[in-house]
Amino acid sequence: MLHLRLIVPAPRTEEVVATLEKSVGTTHLAVVPGAARSPSGDLVLCDVAREAGDEVIGRLRDMGLAECGSISVENIDLSLSSRAEQAEEEAPGAAADAVLWEQLTNATDEESRFTVTYVAFLAVATMLAACGVMLDNAILIVGAMAVGPEFGPLAGLSTALVLRSRHLGVRSLYALIGGFAAAMVFTSGFAWLMDTLGLFTFDMFEAPRPNTSFIWQPDWMSFVVAFLAGIAGTLSLTSSKSAALIGVAISVTTVPAAANAAVALSYTDYGQFWGSTGQLLANLGGIVLAGTLTLLTQKALWSVQHKHTTD
């Protein structure tokens, strides 16, 4: 279930309440006249079955409530109510299959911002991965992949392609390209410093590294793994199962590939640099393609399921 908290201008309260009462899957409707101060108006509360949430929120947006008032949505972890159970039964489709497009857009837009924190996380993850490739340490590689925040902009790009949102697409691309460029510059400087201190050496970089050599030797399996991870990551976002994102993060080698490319560039090993760059692009492309196809499939299946249920 979802909990909606609305601030409605007093003259429009009856209209909004009537819309909610007619909407399938809504319950626990409450109106507190004059409770809102900024903006001023009435406070309207209700619970909505998740599978009906996107439609209800869409109707409220079409009424202009986001401009003249406010729409806030929260997930309800526990609701002990026979009315809530009835609302979920009446709502078409299944809650697990429902995609809240407004929530997805908002989440990916927030995660796709090119911020100091985002660049810091990506740079630290890339430097950790650099240590991992130099030491041929798979544990450090996995840790670096878990720290990397790059899935947010990747999901944002997929969402932008499906919803044809130019703003979100540009922001996501900027975060991806700018973030990885900055992280690789920082990592190249880090590699130079570590080499100066005697902690990294050219011999270490050129030595056989059986545990991490796959990072600069891309093949079709790299794309396949990234594609599958992209599906899992997108499903975790649309179903609010964020724990699955950890598994996605440690399934793809975007951060390690960027790290190896940065170190290779500092040692002027252009063979490994281009190999790592190919690995990076294969992973990024696989995730975006999988995310886009997954969202398109969910959108189509939900439309079919919704139509079949309402007929």
Side-chain angles (χ1 to χ4, degrees), residues 187-276:
T187 302
S188 294
F190 173 73
W192 174 84
L193 177 63
M194 294 291 280
D195 185 83
T196 302
L197 297 175
L199 299 175
F200 284 2
T201 65
F202 181 75
D203 290 339
M204 289 173 60
F205 187 68
E206 295 298 327
R209 289 177 274 151
N211 293 324
T212 57
S213 60
F214 67 93
I215 292 173
W216 68 88
Q217 297 173 354
D219 53 23
W220 278 106
M221 281 303 299
S222 301
F223 181 83
V224 170
V225 170
F227 188 85
L228 295 175
I231 295 175
T234 303
L235 290 175
S236 72
L237 284 179
T238 57
S239 63
S240 298
K241 296 184 181 297
S242 58
L245 282 176
I246 299 298
V248 174
I250 61 177
S251 299
V252 291
T253 54
T254 50
V255 167
N260 200 78
V263 177
L265 192 60
S266 69
Y267 282 125
T268 63
D269 185 335
Y270 298 114
Q272 286 201 37
F273 171 78
W274 289 115
S276 302

Side-chain angles (χ1 to χ4, degrees), residues 67 73 85 169 232 236:
E67 288 73 33
V73 184
E85 294 177 0
S236 72

Side-chain angles (χ1 to χ4, degrees), residues 63-286:
M63 295 172 66
L65 190 56
E67 288 73 33
C68 64
S70 77
I71 305 171
S72 300
V73 184
E74 300 174 348
N75 287 308
I76 300 176
D77 294 328
L78 177 64
S79 179
L80 303 177
S81 167
S82 58
R83 295 293 297 273
E85 294 177 0
Q86 181 181 351
E88 290 181 326
E89 291 176 359
E90 293 174 350
D97 296 332
V99 178
L100 297 178
W101 293 100
E102 291 285 350
Q103 186 182 59
L104 178 63
T105 302
N106 183 72
T108 52
D109 183 74
E110 182 66 28
E111 294 296 322
S112 300
R113 295 178 182 272
F114 187 81
T115 62
V116 173
T117 301
Y118 167 77
V119 173
F121 267 113
L122 192 55
V124 169
T126 309
M127 286 186 275
L128 280 172
C131 294
V133 297
M134 291 298 288
L135 298 174
D136 196 33
N137 189 315
I139 295 176
L140 285 176
I141 293 295
V142 171
M145 289 190 288
V147 172
E150 73 279 7
F151 189 79
L154 290 168
L157 190 54
S158 295
T159 303
L161 291 172
V162 173
L163 299 181
R164 299 179 182 180
S165 173
R166 183 176 180 275
H167 170 76
L168 180 57
V170 171
R171 171 172 285 180
S172 300
L173 270 177
Y174 180 70
L176 275 176
I177 297 173
F180 273 107
M184 291 173 70
V185 168
F186 282 122
T187 302
S188 294
F190 173 73
W192 174 84
L193 177 63
M194 294 291 280
D195 185 83
T196 302
L197 297 175
L199 299 175
F200 284 2
T201 65
F202 181 75
D203 290 339
M204 289 173 60
F205 187 68
E206 295 298 327
R209 289 177 274 151
N211 293 324
T212 57
S213 60
F214 67 93
I215 292 173
W216 68 88
Q217 297 173 354
D219 53 23
W220 278 106
M221 281 303 299
S222 301
F223 181 83
V224 170
V225 170
F227 188 85
L228 295 175
I231 295 175
T234 303
L235 290 175
S236 72
L237 284 179
T238 57
S239 63
S240 298
K241 296 184 181 297
S242 58
L245 282 176
I246 299 298
V248 174
I250 61 177
S251 299
V252 291
T253 54
T254 50
V255 167
N260 200 78
V263 177
L265 192 60
S266 69
Y267 282 125
T268 63
D269 185 335
Y270 298 114
Q272 286 201 37
F273 171 78
W274 289 115
S276 302
T277 301
Q279 179 78 273
L280 176 61
L281 294 176
N283 278 270
L284 295 177

